[in-house]
Amino acid sequence: MQPQKIDLLLHCRWLIPVIPENQILDNYSIAVHSGQIVDLIPQPEARQHYSAVQEIELGQHVVMPGLINTHSQVAMRLLRGHSDTSSLADWLEKYAQPADHKFIDSDVIYNSSQLAMAEMIKTGTTCFADMYFPDQVLIDALREVGLRSQISFMVLDSPTYYARNADEYIHRGLHLYDSIGSHPLSKVACAPLNLNSISDSVIQRLSIFADELDLPLHIPCHKTHVEVEQSQAVYGCRPINRLQHMGLLLPQTQLVHMNQINSDDMQLLELSNSQIVHCPVSSIKAAGKLCPIDQLIQADINVSLGTEGAAVNNSFDLFEELKVCALMASSKASEAHNFDTHRALRLATINGARTLGWEQEIGSIEIGKYADIIALEIDPIVQQPLYNSHLQLVQSTKSSQVSHNWVAGRPLMIDKRLVNLNEQQLGQMAADWQAKLVQ
């Protein structure tokens, strides 16, 4: 029998497919053709069955699904660390809302997006959900780089660089929805940024669009007790109750943070089947309660991970978020039982895919799914012996170990070198912007 001709054959020392659970495959190969995984096969049989245009030996690597960052802010990457901003409200007031703010324009958004996506690729992310400024230049940068993404158009009742009022935010967002259409690597969501500052009439309009277009909703919610108390004072209920009353608590609703949860909130989440996005580092900085992921897991509510970003001076390193999340869980006896290392990996892979409605396409290494894959090099001194690769990835892996990154079978990084971006030019661009922004 003649070997089947395919595009790519990856020979992996250790392969973690995520699905099936708790499985580690030794010395397996991944066959990829037309962007999709066509086979997982023991290495001795791989070359007998397949003839690949390209073969890559990953003999000292752990290979796994690419990480999925379900909450980020790429358009403002150049402002990360510019000031000691610690809250979304503070960032909105100082940076996003002033329409004449000198820092925000299409050049900042384009270069910020390039820098942020380069950081994501180098730290193992293959798919991200973004919010804030979905300017056309961000879409251009995204398609040049090749990452998979959910781009959210923000909605506010106050002006920013992007729009003057809620009507304009929604109008521009719907235009974005139409322009992206069925692009295989992108989808569009709506992100009401600050629920306490958005009127009921605007939320009612969003509810109509969410229903008619099956539009995902990406909503920061219940991050701090102050936010919850303000909602109760102004609207007479908690934010999640307001969303439920207005018809925005849906299966495609992605609730970001949810650190302040009581028993009534849990019932609403179970009934609505909404998605939860946990941002551990951001939540710690907010000095509030952390999202009770143990309770959510017990209730079979989907939880994924996000990094947030420029608004709170965070990096886009999901491995760091994963480590913090696991350490916080292991420090609590109530969570330790429900949060083993494999379950932690699911937060950053298949759970993220489920949050974004892509669980049939990505999030695990399975036949028929797209080849969104990363490889991490295992140092023979620092990481060996490797008794449990799940445990190693969650508790002691550094994102600097990521050596390869593919999205739909297309290489974004090979041997730690970016394919579609020039690192030297990016570094010079960042230095040039630093000189401008500190003036």
Side-chain angles (χ1 to χ4, degrees):
M1 184 178 70
Q2 290 292 323
Q4 180 181 338
K5 293 182 179 180
I6 59 172
D7 296 328
L8 179 64
L9 201 55
L10 303 177
H11 302 297
C12 317
R13 175 60 184 88
W14 298 281
L15 172 59
I16 299 179
V18 173
I19 294 178
E21 293 187 15
N22 293 308
Q23 188 172 93
I24 302 172
L25 303 176
D26 289 334
N27 297 307
Y28 258 67
S29 297
I30 306 173
V32 178
H33 190 65
S34 297
Q36 292 181 299
I37 299 165
V38 296
D39 203 357
L40 304 178
I41 184 170
Q43 284 188 29
E45 303 173 25
R47 289 188 178 92
Q48 299 174 18
H49 287 78
Y50 298 101
S51 173
V53 174
Q54 184 181 28
E55 293 188 36
I56 296 180
E57 297 285 346
L58 300 168
Q60 291 296 323
H61 299 73
V62 170
V63 179
M64 61 177 287
L67 304 184
I68 300 173
N69 185 345
T70 49
H71 181 60
S72 67
Q73 305 153 352
V74 303
M76 303 311 295
R77 168 62 177 81
L78 285 169
L79 288 180
R80 188 173 75 197
H82 183 271
S83 66
D84 188 18
T85 304
S86 59
S87 70
L88 173 65
D90 189 39
W91 189 86
L92 286 169
E93 181 180 348
K94 291 182 179 179
Y95 292 98
Q97 291 178 349
D100 59 347
H101 200 289
K102 64 180 180 180
F103 292 162
I104 301 176
D105 60 23
S106 59
D107 290 336
V108 168
I109 293 172
Y110 180 73
N111 289 149
S112 285
S113 302
Q114 286 184 310
L115 195 60
M117 285 187 267
E119 182 181 346
M120 288 187 182
I121 293 168
K122 289 177 73 69
T123 55
T125 291
T126 55
C127 177
F128 68 97
D130 190 64
M131 58 186 293
Y132 286 147
F133 299 112
D135 199 282
Q136 182 58 47
V137 295
L138 186 153
I139 308 304
D140 294 341
L142 186 62
R143 291 181 176 175
E144 291 167 8
V145 173
L147 278 171
R148 194 181 300 275
S149 65
Q150 172 188 276
I151 301 299
S152 299
F153 63 92
M154 63 181 185
V155 176
L156 288 166
D157 265 336
S158 53
T160 66
Y161 158 83
Y162 185 67
R164 294 168 295 180
N165 52 49
D167 286 341
E168 190 171 349
Y169 287 109
I170 295 172
H171 175 76
R172 294 196 63 179
L174 294 177
H175 176 73
L176 176 71
Y177 178 89
D178 291 335
S179 65
I180 286 185
S182 58
H183 190 276
L185 296 182
S186 300
K187 62 172 58 180
V188 174
C190 173
L193 285 198
N194 187 345
L195 286 177
N196 288 342
S197 68
I198 298 177
S199 66
D200 285 350
S201 61
V202 171
I203 291 182
Q204 287 171 343
R205 289 182 63 193
L206 296 181
S207 176
I208 294 172
F209 291 124
D211 182 56
E212 292 180 351
L213 303 176
D214 198 26
L215 186 68
L217 299 160
H218 191 81
I219 308 175
C221 191
H222 287 227
K223 185 175 185 179
T224 67
H225 69 89
V226 173
E227 173 201 345
V228 174
E229 290 172 356
Q230 286 177 344
S231 178
Q232 290 173 321
V234 176
Y235 298 103
C237 62
R238 295 165 68 83
I240 192 173
N241 296 105
R242 188 168 174 236
L243 291 174
Q244 195 268 337
H245 294 156
M246 294 291 182
L248 288 187
L249 206 58
L250 304 165
Q252 71 264 32
T253 300
Q254 303 155 14
L255 298 172
V256 183
H257 304 305
M258 293 305 292
N259 298 325
Q260 311 291 323
I261 297 180
N262 62 25
S263 58
D264 291 336
D265 300 335
M266 285 291 297
Q267 289 183 0
L268 283 178
L269 292 172
E270 290 184 62
L271 290 172
S272 66
N273 201 27
S274 296
Q275 314 298 314
I276 304 298
V277 179
H278 181 35
C279 303
V281 174
S282 172
S283 295
I284 290 172
K285 288 181 178 181
K289 291 170 60 179
L290 293 181
C291 178
I293 57 176
D294 59 328
Q295 297 177 39
L296 296 169
I297 289 171
Q298 286 180 342
D300 200 27
I301 296 168
N302 188 54
V303 183
S304 59
L305 285 185
T307 60
E308 201 151 18
V312 290
N313 295 329
N314 278 7
S315 73
F316 295 111
D317 187 345
L318 263 185
F319 276 110
E320 183 64 26
E321 298 284 345
L322 193 58
K323 186 183 300 184
V324 170
C325 186
L327 288 173
M328 295 301 295
S330 64
S331 69
K332 300 179 181 179
S334 61
E335 293 188 19
H337 176 72
N338 295 301
F339 203 75
D340 58 36
T341 51
H342 180 81
R343 184 162 281 158
L345 279 182
R346 291 175 65 91
L347 295 183
T349 53
I350 189 63
N351 286 17
R354 186 170 293 118
T355 293
L356 303 182
W358 263 324
E359 68 270 26
Q360 300 303 317
E361 290 84 14
I362 60 173
S364 59
I365 298 179
E366 298 180 82
I367 294 172
K369 286 193 172 183
Y370 286 107
D372 288 19
I373 297 169
I374 61 172
L376 298 95
E377 189 170 13
I378 301 301
D379 187 279
I381 302 299
V382 179
Q383 277 88 32
Q384 296 275 28
L386 188 64
Y387 297 114
N388 184 325
S389 55
H390 289 100
L391 183 66
Q392 188 93 305
L393 284 171
V394 171
Q395 296 192 359
S396 60
T397 292
K398 293 180 172 58
S399 58
S400 59
Q401 293 173 235
V402 177
S403 60
H404 296 70
N405 188 315
W406 292 268
V407 170
R410 295 180 180 177
L412 303 189
M413 183 169 70
I414 297 293
D415 289 326
K416 298 191 177 183
R417 292 188 177 185
L418 297 177
V419 174
N420 299 323
L421 290 164
N422 186 306
E423 292 190 46
Q424 185 175 0
Q425 291 178 0
L426 284 176
Q428 184 59 56
M429 175 268 291
D432 291 343
W433 273 111
Q434 179 183 4
K436 293 178 185 178
L437 297 176
V438 296
Q439 292 177 356

